[in-house]
Amino acid sequence: MDGLRFDKLRILVVDDNQHMRKLVVAVLQAVGVRDLFEAADGEHAWRALRDTNPDIIVLDWQMDGMTGLEFARLVRNSPRSPNVYVPIIMLTGHTHVEHVRQARDAGVNEFLAKPVTVKAILSRLVNVVEHPRPFIRTKTYFGPCRRRRALTAYAGPERRKEPTFVD
Amino acid sequence: MAITEKAQIFMPPISLKAKAGSASGTLTVDPEVLKSGEKAMEGLRREFSDWLAEDIATLAKTFAVFAKAPTAENAGALFRAAHDLKGQATTFEYPLIARVAASLAKLMDGMQSWEAAPLPLVAAHVDAIHVIHRDRIKDISNRIALTLAEELEGRVLKTIAQASFKQP
């Protein structure tokens, strides 16, 4: 069986906890990823994004200084962002549906809840490679399409139009 | 309400499928690759307890700072340390530490502000985490640790409810 070529991927792992970073990096190395970069905070991650041009970012949510959510928004929306399309996998101890919504609204592609397993890490990587989501640009959002499933009852032609309140 | 703005929808210009996809176009994970990853995780297992000890020491340190000066900044550091443990302790084979840490994070998050978390209850969580690690309680059904976790969770719920009641 042939499978996803992990050796072709460049991945940036951003986590302020050195142990979790070490764990994720060790797993990624073991599955064949050769070009791995690490950052312990948003500021270093921003620099690494510019210097290393990763294909995928694995990003912790809760970090000292710039949070993962703020970093994701910066990547998607800053005019200085080196790659506004880079897939972001959010690694987090948050599991509430509201947190998933917040991550999605920040432009995150995949949500990886702790505790992490190898299977879960690989399945998120496969998802971002195999099922690239279309990007959406509206007045209030830029990022991957947030409709993984057809959750809304309305599926008509104007479902993505932004509502504007008028007097 | 009027609808005025159309959304642009387009595919990102870079295709990772073209870059990292297999020759056949199937994007599965080779079972051998999965095994390699799990072996790597297994290889780190002997370090887990030490890693957890370091994370617990960080929690204790942030708590000591917070106890001296309960500012928003210090509360934030304590919350992040608790949240880290909540997420990681199960991976590091101490699910009950994850549970107690989750209770602590919930306490801080449930108050009007993180720094409003009552010190004795925070201290009880930190102590419980120390004890579970010291006694190497990895079994999620350990009766004493479970009772302790449930007691802390109950007190957190009560504290949050009381704090909400007091809010204007």
Side-chain angles (χ1 to χ4, degrees):
Chain A
M1 186 199 290
D2 61 353
L4 190 135
R5 297 287 309 271
F6 288 101
D7 59 319
K8 301 278 187 186
L9 294 174
R10 295 166 70 80
I11 301 182
L12 171 63
V13 180
V14 187
D15 198 320
D16 63 344
N17 186 285
Q18 55 166 335
H19 302 132
M20 192 45 70
R21 216 167 57 232
K22 191 174 173 183
L23 182 76
V24 173
V25 164
V27 168
L28 292 176
Q29 274 172 339
V31 301
V33 181
R34 289 187 205 147
D35 292 327
L36 268 166
F37 312 97
E38 294 178 47
D41 56 47
E43 202 178 301
H44 286 94
W46 184 248
R47 223 172 296 153
L49 179 62
R50 194 187 55 210
D51 296 343
T52 65
N53 190 28
D55 297 313
I56 296 169
I57 300 174
V58 178
L59 176 67
D60 182 35
W61 179 314
Q62 205 73 53
M63 295 191 292
D64 196 8
M66 192 191 301
T67 66
L69 273 193
E70 288 164 346
F71 182 75
R73 286 193 201 106
L74 194 65
V75 170
R76 295 285 180 246
N77 300 307
S78 169
R80 291 182 295 120
S81 175
N83 182 1
V84 293
Y85 302 106
V86 62
I88 298 174
I89 299 172
M90 179 69 89
L91 179 62
T92 176
H94 290 302
T95 49
H96 195 271
V97 67
E98 173 58 21
H99 293 118
V100 178
R101 193 191 59 73
Q102 282 179 32
R104 198 191 56 178
D105 289 349
V108 163
N109 295 64
E110 292 285 331
F111 198 80
L112 178 56
K114 296 173 187 174
V116 295
T117 62
V118 176
K119 215 178 245 183
I121 295 173
L122 298 189
S123 99
R124 299 311 184 280
L125 289 175
V126 168
N127 265 349
V128 295
V129 175
E130 186 172 19
H131 306 293
R133 294 202 219 161
F135 264 60
I136 310 291
R137 185 192 299 279
T138 70
K139 265 189 176 175
T140 55
Y141 174 76
F142 176 76
C145 177
R146 291 172 288 185
R147 292 191 178 93
R148 180 181 288 273
R149 290 184 292 268
L151 292 174
T152 168
Y154 177 64
E158 295 186 337
R159 66 191 185 281
R160 283 198 176 89
K161 281 190 177 176
E162 287 184 322
T164 304
F165 294 93
V166 291
D167 295 332
Chain B
M1 186 171 75
I3 293 173
T4 58
E5 198 65 40
K6 271 192 174 173
Q8 295 171 16
I9 307 169
F10 53 96
M11 288 308 289
I14 305 156
S15 168
L16 289 182
K17 206 169 180 176
K19 184 177 182 180
S22 63
S24 68
T26 55
L27 284 177
T28 52
V29 174
D30 189 325
E32 288 305 314
V33 170
L34 180 63
K35 267 188 209 164
S36 300
E38 280 171 346
K39 204 173 157 190
M41 180 98 94
E42 192 59 40
L44 290 172
R45 208 168 287 275
R46 61 182 172 276
E47 296 187 52
F48 283 174
S49 189
D50 290 342
W51 287 2
L52 199 57
E54 285 176 36
D55 288 342
I56 292 169
T58 302
L59 179 77
K61 203 170 139 190
T62 55
F63 172 60
V65 173
F66 174 70
K68 260 190 194 166
T71 62
E73 191 185 344
N74 294 338
L78 176 61
F79 175 80
R80 280 191 299 279
H83 194 269
D84 269 1
L85 276 174
K86 172 193 166 190
Q88 285 156 204
T90 299
T91 305
F92 297 162
E93 303 178 317
Y94 282 84
L96 285 173
I97 288 184
R99 187 164 164 178
V100 174
S103 173
L104 175 53
K106 184 176 182 170
L107 168 67
M108 298 188 74
D109 227 10
M111 304 305 289
Q112 204 167 13
S113 61
W114 283 347
E115 62 268 33
L119 281 179
L121 190 49
V122 176
H125 282 81
V126 176
D127 290 343
I129 286 170
H130 269 301
V131 168
I132 295 170
H133 188 250
R134 183 198 65 199
D135 293 350
R136 300 190 180 286
I137 300 171
K138 296 184 179 184
D139 178 7
I140 198 156
S141 59
N142 180 288
R143 188 181 290 271
I144 295 170
L146 204 54
T147 306
L148 185 58
E150 283 168 357
E151 178 65 27
L152 289 170
E153 286 166 349
R155 290 195 185 199
V156 164
L157 286 179
K158 238 184 233 172
T159 305
I160 291 172
Q162 282 168 356
S164 311
F165 184 70
K166 279 179 197 163
Q167 277 176 34

